[in-house]
Amino acid sequence: LIKLSNISKIYKMGLTEIRAIDGVSLEVEAGEYIAIMGPSGSGKSTIMNLIGCLDTPTSGSYILNDMEVAHLDDDRLAEIRNKEIGFVFQTFNLLSRANALQNVELPLIYSNISAKERRRQTLQALEVVGLRDRVRHKPSELSGGERQRVAIARALVNNCSLLLADEPTGNLDSKMGEEIMQVFDQLHEQENTIIVVTHEEHIARHTKRVIRLLDGKIISDERKG
Amino acid sequence: LIKLSNISKIYKMGLTEIRAIDGVSLEVEAGEYIAIMGPSGSGKSTIMNLIGCLDTPTSGSYILNDMEVAHLDDDRLAEIRNKEIGFVFQTFNLLSRANALQNVELPLIYSNISAKERRRQTLQALEVVGLRDRVRHKPSELSGGERQRVAIARALVNNCSLLLADEPTGNLDSKMGEEIMQVFDQLHEQENTIIVVTHEEHIARHTKRVIRLLDGKIISDERKG
Ligand SMILES: Nc1ncnc2c1ncn2[C@@H]1O[C@H](COP(=O)(O)OP(=O)(O)OP(=O)(O)O)[C@@H](O)[C@H]1O
Ligand SMILES: Nc1ncnc2c1ncn2[C@@H]1O[C@H](COP(=O)(O)OP(=O)(O)OP(=O)(O)O)[C@@H](O)[C@H]1O
Ligand SMILES: [Mg+2]
Ligand SMILES: [Mg+2]
């Protein structure tokens, strides 16, 4: 499904160079359930943005679904993202002038379903994350954990088979964090591909493979029995 | 130091009413080290914003340092905040056009110290959180955990005796989270007052008193021996 070959993402700042991702190669089969871990600044969000087609690499090749995407233009990438990938951002990235319902509905706007069905799927996604009573609230009228859950609901609403979640439980208490992971567990059982960035071991324990980053490189990659 | 008496924060939305904080009374002595815990949406950030003079209650009294602050105007509150309270926001609230150095330096701009001393204290705060190599980066050029650490450094830089930290380690790996808590432990030993919102038990274990919220009320308040 995903094949990164010698991927690098390098930022030039004046005379220095920051190798956010430094020559990484990685293969992911359809249906895998993976945790990406590593210290702050080790490249986790960078690699997630590359996999999620939100960013293009400085060098290397990225084959997604048998198609080379490393050098596609923005419009092509946006199309792939909307159709195929659900993404939970580390900093949520909600529209501040739209309420929770409108934010979660957004990925469905360009799909071919009726407004009624769109509303039904949106409310269901908000229900799954426990926000049925907050659908009319704007992000500024929500708690940190509620915003995170809106971001999760938005990633789930159009049933993409590839779900990328960048620290999806960082602002949630352990009970709510567990409930979210059980939703992800279920999606995995339905043969979806799930990649979660987390720095918490008890979250990683839900997955079947743990990849650890350090300074932009993969330092370990372990599959569970 | 802090005395909240029957404090409420109520949001009216159309016909419904949300009691974010619902008749809470709380006393904090100078030098205490407190964790506030509770589920997502239980009122933790709301109570922190009230204590930190970032918000005014709908009703009730708040005495800080023998002064009633519940109904002060914005200018007076801003003055108290800048002089007396260090605040780490759950969503960091950094200036996006300023770099890490400029963001951390901000609380010192109105103090009576020389530019040279201001620079020295700012670099020291950034050193303490491990960001010496990122001082020229803007927030958009930093990882999530690096932004969180800039927010922490900014709260530490002017040595306020009251430090309020709203989920300061949510985006940090456990090793870095521990290092930050050790900085807070040291500040506590230097007789500063520290209140930390966290949903992680191992973070709360550093403190001497744990207050738990549910639906805007305090449901338990335990001091350690
Ligand atoms: N401006 C607002 N208008 C309406 N409701 C609000 C507003 N701000 C906050 N709320 C509600 O008040 C409740 C408490 O919010 P608060 O931010 O204090 O929760 P919290 O305990 O910090 O949660 P979290 O752990 O998710 O950060 C939430 O349910 C939220 O939806
Ligand atoms: N636009 C940029 N310009 C320069 N450096 C950048 C830029 N974006 C990110 N970086 C750097 O690249 C490194 C990796 O960033 P990344 O966001 O992938 O880390 P991360 O592993 O997600 O960290 P965290 O756990 O803190 O979220 C960081 O050290 C960061 O400072
Ligand atoms: Mg990150
Ligand atoms: Mg909060």
Side-chain angles (χ1 to χ4, degrees):
Chain A
L1 179 63
I2 290 171
K3 187 169 152 78
L4 304 178
S5 307
N6 207 21
I7 285 283
S8 288
K9 182 73 187 180
I10 301 175
Y11 296 105
K12 289 210 169 11
M13 297 194 69
L15 296 173
T16 55
E17 185 180 82
I18 293 182
R19 308 190 137 248
I21 286 294
D22 192 6
V24 160
S25 295
L26 173 63
E27 288 189 41
V28 176
E29 313 271 319
E32 288 205 66
Y33 192 5
I34 299 175
I36 296 182
M37 305 186 77
S40 173
S42 54
K44 306 180 295 297
S45 296
T46 304
I47 204 173
M48 290 289 268
N49 290 344
L50 291 169
I51 291 171
C53 296
L54 287 150
D55 194 9
T56 47
T58 313
S59 61
S61 131
Y62 174 20
I63 299 176
L64 173 67
N65 264 332
D66 302 321
M67 177 164 50
E68 173 60 62
V69 297
H71 304 295
L72 291 181
D73 63 52
D74 286 350
D75 289 343
R76 254 334 251 117
L77 289 176
E79 203 181 328
I80 290 169
R81 285 200 301 271
N82 292 337
K83 286 226 182 80
E84 306 187 18
I85 304 174
F87 203 112
V88 185
F89 292 87
Q90 185 171 9
T91 46
F92 321 153
N93 297 14
L94 303 177
L95 299 179
S96 55
R97 290 186 212 159
N99 63 32
L101 186 78
Q102 292 160 335
N103 264 287
V104 174
E105 201 176 32
L106 206 57
L108 296 177
I109 296 287
Y110 298 110
S111 64
N112 296 332
I113 62 181
S114 66
K116 185 155 170 288
E117 175 62 11
R118 202 167 66 215
R119 172 64 47 105
R120 191 196 68 77
Q121 282 189 29
T122 299
L123 287 175
Q124 182 177 9
L126 282 158
E127 178 100 31
V128 163
V129 298
L131 287 179
R132 195 73 185 73
D133 304 337
R134 292 285 183 272
V135 299
R136 301 285 170 195
H137 289 231
K138 296 203 187 65
S140 60
E141 298 166 332
L142 291 171
S143 76
E146 290 167 348
R147 285 176 211 167
Q148 188 158 41
R149 287 184 272 155
V150 173
I152 293 168
R154 184 179 59 183
L156 296 176
V157 79
N158 57 353
N159 300 314
C160 288
S161 55
L162 173 59
L163 175 65
L164 304 177
D166 195 346
E167 305 206 24
T169 62
N171 279 286
L172 302 176
D173 49 270
S174 40
K175 176 157 172 293
M176 178 66 63
E178 260 307 299
E179 286 173 32
I180 296 298
M181 288 314 290
Q182 282 171 19
V183 171
F184 289 7
D185 293 350
Q186 265 191 347
L187 289 171
H188 168 61
E189 278 160 35
Q190 294 160 13
E191 317 225 336
N192 295 298
T193 310
I194 307 191
I195 306 179
V196 181
V197 166
T198 181
H199 56 256
E200 299 186 76
E201 297 288 345
H202 67 269
I203 298 293
R205 239 169 265 148
H206 285 258
T207 66
K208 299 281 184 292
R209 177 180 173 191
V210 179
I211 296 171
R212 293 183 194 269
L213 297 185
L214 184 65
D215 296 332
K217 289 178 157 53
I218 292 179
I219 54 167
S220 77
D221 185 346
E222 298 182 23
R223 281 183 170 81
K224 293 188 193 170
Chain B
L1 179 64
I2 289 171
K3 188 170 152 78
L4 304 178
S5 306
N6 206 22
I7 286 282
S8 287
K9 183 72 187 181
I10 301 175
Y11 296 105
K12 291 212 167 13
M13 298 194 68
L15 296 172
T16 55
E17 185 180 80
I18 293 183
R19 308 193 136 245
I21 285 293
D22 193 7
V24 159
S25 297
L26 173 63
E27 289 188 40
V28 177
E29 313 271 318
E32 290 206 63
Y33 193 5
I34 299 174
I36 297 182
M37 305 186 77
S40 174
S42 54
K44 305 181 296 297
S45 296
T46 303
I47 205 174
M48 290 289 269
N49 289 343
L50 291 170
I51 292 172
C53 297
L54 287 149
D55 195 8
T56 46
T58 312
S59 64
S61 130
Y62 173 20
I63 298 177
L64 173 67
N65 264 333
D66 301 322
M67 177 164 50
E68 173 60 62
V69 298
H71 304 293
L72 292 182
D73 62 51
D74 286 351
D75 290 343
R76 253 333 251 117
L77 288 177
E79 203 180 330
I80 291 170
R81 285 199 302 270
N82 292 336
K83 286 223 181 80
E84 306 185 19
I85 304 173
F87 204 112
V88 185
F89 293 87
Q90 185 172 9
T91 45
F92 322 151
N93 297 13
L94 303 178
L95 299 179
S96 54
R97 289 186 213 159
N99 63 30
L101 187 77
Q102 293 160 335
N103 265 287
V104 175
E105 202 176 32
L106 206 58
L108 296 177
I109 295 287
Y110 297 111
S111 65
N112 296 332
I113 61 181
S114 65
K116 185 155 170 283
E117 175 61 11
R118 200 167 68 212
R119 174 62 49 104
R120 191 196 68 75
Q121 282 189 27
T122 301
L123 287 175
Q124 183 178 10
L126 283 159
E127 178 100 31
V128 163
V129 299
L131 287 178
R132 195 72 185 74
D133 304 337
R134 292 286 183 274
V135 298
R136 301 285 170 195
H137 288 231
K138 296 202 187 66
S140 60
E141 299 167 330
L142 291 172
S143 77
E146 289 166 348
R147 286 177 212 166
Q148 188 158 41
R149 287 184 272 156
V150 172
I152 292 168
R154 184 180 59 181
L156 296 176
V157 79
N158 58 352
N159 299 315
C160 289
S161 56
L162 174 59
L163 176 64
L164 305 176
D166 195 348
E167 304 204 26
T169 62
N171 279 287
L172 302 176
D173 50 272
S174 39
K175 177 158 171 291
M176 178 65 64
E178 260 307 300
E179 286 173 31
I180 295 298
M181 288 315 289
Q182 282 169 19
V183 172
F184 289 8
D185 292 350
Q186 266 191 347
L187 289 170
H188 168 61
E189 278 160 37
Q190 293 161 16
E191 317 226 338
N192 295 297
T193 310
I194 307 192
I195 306 178
V196 180
V197 166
T198 180
H199 56 257
E200 299 186 75
E201 298 286 347
H202 66 271
I203 296 292
R205 239 169 265 148
H206 285 258
T207 66
K208 299 279 181 294
R209 176 180 174 191
V210 179
I211 296 170
R212 292 182 195 271
L213 297 184
L214 184 64
D215 297 332
K217 290 179 158 48
I218 292 179
I219 56 167
S220 75
D221 187 344
E222 297 183 22
R223 280 183 172 80
K224 292 188 192 170

